[in-house]
């Protein structure tokens, strides 16, 4: 039997339903190369005429989306105190530079994958595509859970940061107010419910809203810089660039410096969020990677500039470590501007940005939940998580599920804010782990598969060294993210990211062996058999479960 007829017979065996058309004879069939099959995401709702996700996101709206998720200069300001705990200001600034270089390689690698395979599932789909055949489904299962839960954790994390700032502004403006942890929980719930409604009701308006808020975001950035620089009283350059004092009381200064160094890792997490909108973007194979890299570069410049300016404005390190308002953000701006009113204004104005960012994060998280559910994970069918609402054109039940889980997680704040902060660290740890797995597998295929086909946005000959730097960066960050910020460690100050991450791995692995390995078939893809360059395609098969077949080559 010829290679062509053998390939066609395999494809017919892999599918559950094929488009009704006469099978081509060997003489009529195009030349088939299994390695170069054109693979497209199947729309599982196309078959029953249910609504699909509309393509509404352009390059500029995707750029705005990624920029607002990153919020690099705001995140850098919020994490400034950790630099004083570990490594001092120099660890923060040089960490920003070092991580910017490494993270640029990481996002360039992810952008190349997004151009090759622009799909909502992103990391878990790429893992399924490039993992060894024997472990494809298991790797996709673990990766899908890690990525989905990471973004699920981002949502209450953003709500928590926003709630802290709201409470801080209240403390600043109303000195008689007595804050309680449950107040933070209530504010978080209110923010989450608002974001849920916005993600559903404003679906078609979100691209334009993101662009407008992004413009406001940049205006606030320059306003903050002007307010801080206008004071005229600055810290010394030796303090900003050379000080490596640490309030970390352990006897491991090298570890302390590394912990402070990776503090900025959380600042650069989230640019790949727009990949989860790939099925709603115009020309995603081009617009998604370009928007991802552009927003990262712009955000990195903003984070570094804001970090330098705010460090020059610091006058009392002890007050920053123990802010009277409970908000590091407010204490930083109080010292930098020398005015409570200016600090309150610079706290209230960004709330519009943060509420929009929360809505966008919920949007991204819900798309991941929906995609993973339609591929057979969770209880998608039973809970309707794999459905698109015909009324609103969004995965309504997935949005509601993500919001419900976020509300439940917010209750942890009442019992232990430290444990809740561990969940936030878990988001960064899980994301970087998913990046490492994906890029390492892609690097392996890049080295051994000389016929690997790339998308229109690719790294060319620089791909291998860039992938290597990305894997090294991810490994370094993964090692030090779970370290505690202070020493000695006790139940009240430990970093719970490691235990939470380990628990998630145990649970997902157990569910795989208990039942998932019997029903989870991996990402369900649509395979088009394409002819030689310039020729038309052959038969199209609608549900090709190629990822579970030992005879399929990547």
């Amino acid at each position: 039997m010829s290679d062509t007829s053998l390939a066609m017979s395999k494809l017919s065996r892999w599918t559950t339903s094929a488009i009704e058309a006469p099978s081509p004879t060997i003489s009529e069939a195009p030349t088939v190369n299994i390695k170069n099959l054109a693979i497209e995401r199947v729309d599982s709702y196309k078959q029953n005429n249910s609504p699909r996700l509309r393509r509404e996101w352009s390059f500029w709206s995707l750029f705005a989306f990624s920029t607002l998720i990153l919020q690099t200069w705001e995140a850098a300001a919020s994490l400034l105190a950790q630099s004083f705990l570990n490594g001092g200001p120099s660890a923060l600034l040089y960490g920003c530079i070092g991580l910017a270089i490494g993270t640029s390689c990481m996002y360039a690698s992810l952008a190349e994958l997004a151009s090759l395979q622009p799909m909502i599932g992103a990391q878990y789909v790429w893992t399924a595509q490039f993992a060894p055949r024997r472990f494809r489904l298991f790797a996709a299962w673990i990766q899908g859970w890690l990525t989905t839960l990471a973004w699920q954790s981002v949502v209450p994390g953003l709500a928590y940061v926003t709630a802290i700032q709201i409470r801080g502004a209240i403390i600043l403006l109303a000195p008689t107010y007595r804050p309680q942890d449950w107040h933070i929980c209530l504010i978080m719930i209110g923010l989450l419910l608002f974001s849920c409604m916005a993600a559903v009701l404003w679906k078609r308006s979100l691209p334009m809203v993101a662009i407008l808020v992004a413009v406001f975001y940049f205006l606030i950035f320059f306003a903050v810089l002007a307010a801080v620089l206008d004071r005229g009283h600055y810290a010394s350059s030796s303090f900003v660039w050379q000080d490596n004092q640490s309030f970390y009381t352990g006897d491991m200064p090298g570890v302390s410096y590394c912990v402070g160094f990776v503090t900025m890792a959380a600042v650069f997490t989230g640019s790949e969020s727009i990949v989860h909108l790939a099925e709603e973007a115009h020309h995603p194979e081009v617009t998604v990677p370009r928007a991802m890299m552009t927003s990262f570069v712009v955000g990195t410049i903003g984070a570094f500039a804001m970090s330098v300016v705010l460090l020059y404005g610091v006058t009392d390190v002890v007050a920053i470590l123990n802010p009277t308002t409970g908000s590091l953000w407010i204490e930083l701006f109080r010292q930098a501007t020398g005015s409570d009113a200016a600090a309150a204004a610079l706290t209230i104005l960004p709330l519009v940005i943060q509420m929009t960012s929360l809505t966008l994060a919920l949007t991204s998280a819900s798309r991941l939940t929906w995609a993973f559910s339609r591929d057979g994970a969770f209880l998608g069918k039973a809970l309707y998580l794999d459905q698109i609402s015909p009324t609103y054109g969004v995965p309504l039940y997935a949005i509601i599920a993500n919001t419900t889980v976020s509300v439940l997680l917010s209750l942890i704040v009442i019992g232990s804010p430290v444990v809740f902060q561990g969940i936030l660290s878990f988001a960064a740890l899980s994301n970087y782990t998913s990046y490492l797995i994906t890029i390492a597998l892609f690097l392996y295929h890049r080295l051994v598969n000389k016929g690997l086909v790339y998308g229109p946005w690719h790294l060319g000959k620089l791909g291998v060294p860039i992938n290597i730097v990305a894997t090294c960066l991810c490994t370094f960050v993964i090692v030090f993210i779970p370290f505690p910020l202070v020493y000695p460690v006790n139940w009240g100050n430990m970093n719970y990211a490691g235990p939470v991450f380990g628990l998630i791995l145990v649970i997902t692995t157990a569910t795989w062996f208990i039942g998932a390995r019997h029903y989870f078939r991996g990402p369900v893809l649509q395979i088009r058999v394409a002819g030689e360059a310039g020729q038309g395609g052959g038969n199209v098969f609608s549900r090709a479960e190629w990822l579970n077949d030992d005879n399929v080559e990547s």
Side-chain angles (χ1 to χ4, degrees):
M1 182 180 292
S2 68
D3 291 340
T4 299
S5 57
L6 177 62
M8 294 303 297
S9 65
K10 287 181 179 180
L11 282 173
S12 62
R13 178 166 53 84
W14 294 334
T15 60
T16 57
S17 61
I19 291 180
E20 295 182 1
S23 300
T25 64
I26 294 178
S27 60
E28 297 173 335
T31 301
V32 178
N33 184 347
I34 298 299
K35 290 184 179 180
N36 294 323
L37 289 175
I39 301 170
E40 296 177 351
R41 155 59 61 194
V42 65
D43 184 351
S44 59
Y45 304 99
K46 187 176 180 180
Q47 298 174 355
N48 58 17
N49 298 319
S50 294
R52 302 170 60 186
L53 290 171
R54 295 180 44 158
R55 297 191 180 274
E56 300 170 326
W57 292 84
S58 64
F59 166 80
W60 288 110
S61 55
L62 289 172
F63 166 77
F65 187 109
S66 182
T67 298
L68 294 174
I69 290 291
L70 283 171
Q71 292 191 72
T72 50
W73 66 264
E74 291 189 61
S78 298
L79 294 172
L80 200 64
Q82 294 186 20
S83 69
F84 295 112
L85 289 173
N86 297 279
S90 65
L92 180 75
L93 295 183
Y94 297 124
C96 183
I97 296 172
L99 282 169
I101 295 172
T103 310
S104 65
C105 294
M106 182 186 76
Y107 280 128
S109 301
L110 295 175
E112 187 175 38
L113 283 163
S115 181
L116 169 66
Q117 201 66 276
M119 300 168 71
I120 288 180
Q123 290 100 305
Y124 88 84
V125 174
W126 302 331
T127 297
Q129 182 174 353
F130 294 113
R133 297 187 191 100
R134 184 178 180 182
F135 304 105
R136 267 183 181 150
L137 295 182
F138 174 69
W141 175 260
I142 297 297
Q143 183 76 294
W145 274 98
L146 286 180
T147 308
T148 304
L149 293 180
W151 275 98
Q152 172 62 78
S153 302
V154 167
V155 175
L158 287 174
Y160 178 75
V161 172
T162 306
I164 287 290
Q165 288 189 216
I166 292 175
R167 187 183 70 171
I170 295 174
I171 294 173
L172 193 63
L173 298 175
T176 58
Y177 168 68
R178 295 293 178 266
Q180 302 291 333
D181 287 338
W182 62 270
H183 296 172
I184 293 290
C185 180
L186 286 181
I187 296 173
M188 289 177 63
I189 293 174
L191 291 170
L192 290 167
L193 293 178
F194 169 82
S195 296
C196 179
M197 291 187 292
V200 173
L201 301 178
W202 298 350
K203 194 262 184 182
R204 294 188 179 182
S205 302
L206 272 182
M208 182 55 65
V209 170
I211 293 175
L212 294 176
V213 175
V215 172
F216 182 64
Y217 172 82
F218 289 114
L219 292 176
I220 292 294
F221 169 76
F222 290 110
V224 170
L225 289 184
V228 175
L229 293 174
D230 185 58
R231 186 182 181 190
H233 176 73
Y234 311 115
S236 66
S237 293
S238 60
F239 168 77
V240 175
W241 297 100
Q242 301 175 16
D243 192 294
N244 59 1
Q245 66 173 328
S246 175
F247 285 81
Y248 186 98
T249 56
D251 56 357
M252 300 176 290
V255 173
S256 176
Y257 195 88
C258 288
V259 172
F261 190 89
V262 301
T263 294
M264 296 298 289
V267 174
F268 297 125
T269 303
S271 186
E272 93 292 348
S273 58
I274 55 177
V275 182
H276 309 312
L277 295 178
E279 294 173 35
E280 300 174 70
H282 298 290
H283 309 294
E285 68 280 357
V286 176
T287 55
V288 168
R290 287 179 179 174
M292 184 190 305
M293 294 306 298
T294 305
S295 62
F296 170 74
V297 172
V298 173
T300 299
I301 296 172
F304 184 75
M306 183 59 67
S307 298
V308 172
V309 169
L310 288 179
L311 284 173
Y312 272 106
V314 170
T315 58
D316 188 348
V317 174
V318 175
I320 288 178
L321 295 174
N322 300 280
T324 57
T325 61
S327 171
L328 167 64
W329 176 279
I330 294 177
E331 185 59 38
L332 273 173
F333 288 121
R334 174 191 277 175
Q335 292 189 23
T337 62
S339 168
D340 285 354
L346 293 176
T347 300
I348 295 172
L349 288 176
L351 291 179
V352 175
I353 300 169
Q354 292 177 318
M355 293 176 69
T356 305
S357 176
L358 178 58
T359 301
L360 297 178
L362 178 59
T363 299
S364 187
S366 66
R367 299 309 188 264
L368 258 176
T369 301
W370 170 70
F372 202 30
S373 297
R374 71 179 178 183
D375 288 333
F378 307 123
L379 299 174
K381 297 293 183 182
L383 301 178
Y384 305 103
L385 299 180
D386 61 340
Q387 297 293 315
I388 296 291
S389 167
T391 303
Y392 301 106
V394 297
L396 178 62
Y397 292 102
I399 293 175
I400 294 174
N402 285 120
T403 304
T404 302
V405 173
S406 298
V407 168
L408 293 176
L409 288 175
S410 69
L411 299 177
I412 298 176
V413 175
I414 300 176
S416 175
V418 175
V419 174
F420 183 82
Q421 291 168 12
I423 295 176
L424 308 188
S425 298
F426 161 79
L429 179 59
S430 186
N431 265 322
Y432 273 90
T433 302
S434 72
Y435 302 155
L436 174 62
I437 295 172
T438 303
I439 297 172
L441 291 172
F442 186 50
L443 173 61
Y444 170 76
H445 271 265
R446 191 176 220 128
L447 294 173
V448 302
N449 186 359
K450 301 303 181 183
L452 190 62
V453 178
Y454 302 96
W457 197 100
H458 60 89
L459 300 173
K461 294 182 179 180
L462 295 176
V464 171
I466 288 177
N467 291 163
I468 291 175
V469 173
T471 55
C472 292
L473 179 278
C474 290
T475 303
F476 177 78
V477 172
I478 289 169
V479 169
F480 286 101
I481 280 183
F483 273 71
L485 296 177
V486 295
Y487 185 87
V489 181
N490 56 52
W491 292 108
N493 61 23
M494 73 173 288
N495 187 341
Y496 287 88
V500 172
F501 183 81
L503 179 62
I504 294 298
L505 280 183
V506 170
I507 293 175
T508 52
T509 302
T511 55
W512 170 259
F513 287 104
I514 291 174
R517 63 192 177 96
H518 299 298
Y519 66 82
F520 182 67
R521 312 316 302 163
V524 180
L525 305 176
Q526 179 175 355
I527 292 182
R528 181 177 67 250
V529 182
E532 299 286 352
Q535 296 182 5
N539 277 6
V540 179
F541 302 90
S542 59
R543 289 181 65 84
E545 295 178 351
W546 66 285
L547 295 176
N548 193 34
D549 197 295
D550 290 338
N551 297 317
V552 182
E553 299 184 50
S554 297

